[in-house]
């Protein structure tokens, strides 16, 4: 059932087909609250008297909705659903790192497998770029590239206060290898 200012939409569960047609992510930024992904779900009924309508749902409640429904929810091919804060964070982390300056590896240096997952090659290097070398709380890390972007993002997220996601992006965490402190601005993609 969906209630709007001038209409009430009612559809019976046994007659409906639900399809996630769109997902919209709201940016996690240092001064915003929780990051959210909103899903648009189209409710279509096999009963010709019932007009199709859309409902909106926070992606973290998607699992609960699936459990309560007796029929599966279909999903348009292009829609990716992030059900946890960690998933949401990783996506934001990756998009922020993308705009940081890239780091060129010396041509003599071979990129090794990421020591976190051993599945892909190392793809990031910590370079202090947020402030001048001798100022601020961040420190220069001298480790060679050892981690992939996803593992670095997971590490970053794992060092955060799970109850204060609004502080995640602005915080500093130690390098997993040498413990030099870094922030998101210091994570550079290796070219
Ligand atoms: Zn990895
Ligand atoms: Zn380091
Ligand atoms: Zn920094």
């Amino acid at each position: 059932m969906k209630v709007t200012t001038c209409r009430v939409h009612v559809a019976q569960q046994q007659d409906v087909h639900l399809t996630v047609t769109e997902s919209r992510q709201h940016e996690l930024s240092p001064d915003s609250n929780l990051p959210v992904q909103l899903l648009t779900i189209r409710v279509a009924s096999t009963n010709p008297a019932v007009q199709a309508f859309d409902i909106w749902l926070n992606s973290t409640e998607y699992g609960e909705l699936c459990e309560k429904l007796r029929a599966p929810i279909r999903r348009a091919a292009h829609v990716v659903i992030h059900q946890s804060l960690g998933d949401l964070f990783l996506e934001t982390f990756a998009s922020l790192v993308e705009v940081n300056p890239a780091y060129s590896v010396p041509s003599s240096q071979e990129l090794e497998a990421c020591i976190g997952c051993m599945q892909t090659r190392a793809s990031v290097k910590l370079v202090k770029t947020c402030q001048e070398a001798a100022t601020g709380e961040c420190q220069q890390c001298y480790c060679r590239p050892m981690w992939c972007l996803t593992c670095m993002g997971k590490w970053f997220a794992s060092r955060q206060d799970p109850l204060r996601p609004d502080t995640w992006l602005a915080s500093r965490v130690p390098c997993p290898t040498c413990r030099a402190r870094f922030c998101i601005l210091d994570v550079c993609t290796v070219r």
Side-chain angles (χ1 to χ4, degrees):
M1 175 149 67
K2 174 186 180 181
V3 180
T4 66
T5 342
C6 45
R7 248 194 109 161
V8 178
H9 298 269
V10 183
Q12 266 199 304
Q13 210 194 118
Q14 67 212 32
D15 308 329
V16 297
H17 292 298
L18 299 176
T19 312
V20 183
T21 54
E22 201 191 350
S23 68
R24 236 180 281 166
Q25 184 157 336
H26 292 253
E27 284 300 311
L28 169 63
S29 75
D31 49 12
S32 78
N33 292 316
L34 292 168
V36 286
Q37 187 189 37
L38 281 183
L39 304 176
T40 307
I41 301 176
R42 172 127 282 232
V43 181
S45 177
T46 51
N47 178 346
V50 177
Q51 238 179 51
F53 56 93
D54 286 337
I55 56 174
W56 292 278
L57 186 76
N58 190 322
S59 65
T60 54
E61 285 156 12
Y62 180 74
E64 202 179 320
L65 177 68
C66 291
E67 268 171 36
K68 287 187 177 150
L69 290 175
R70 268 164 281 157
I73 304 182
R74 288 180 291 191
R75 177 164 59 84
H78 63 281
V79 178
V80 179
I81 299 170
H82 298 298
Q83 291 189 54
S84 73
L85 195 55
D87 287 350
L88 281 165
F89 178 79
L90 281 182
E91 188 167 277
T92 308
F93 184 85
S95 66
L96 290 171
V97 169
E98 209 167 275
V99 297
N100 288 345
Y103 171 82
S104 316
V105 267
S107 54
S108 58
Q109 198 178 337
E110 275 277 331
L111 285 175
E112 295 156 43
C114 162
I115 63 173
C117 62
M118 299 301 246
Q119 302 293 309
T120 55
R121 279 170 184 244
S123 61
V124 291
K125 158 93 180 111
L126 301 176
V127 182
K128 185 177 174 187
T129 37
C130 60
Q131 278 179 303
E132 292 295 314
T135 53
E137 285 174 55
C138 290
Q139 299 159 319
Q140 179 55 52
C141 153
Y142 294 100
C143 304
R144 61 182 190 281
M146 292 168 134
W147 302 85
C148 72
L149 180 62
T150 308
C151 287
M152 191 58 92
K154 285 182 181 164
W155 165 259
F156 197 94
S158 74
R159 309 292 296 184
Q160 309 299 326
D161 179 349
L163 300 176
R164 296 290 315 278
D166 53 317
T167 65
W168 288 15
L169 287 185
S171 71
R172 289 178 181 80
V173 310
C175 161
T177 320
C178 74
R179 309 276 144 182
R181 295 179 76 71
F182 71 96
C183 65
I184 288 193
L185 295 173
D186 307 329
V187 183
C188 300
T189 311
V190 171
R191 293 275 148 75

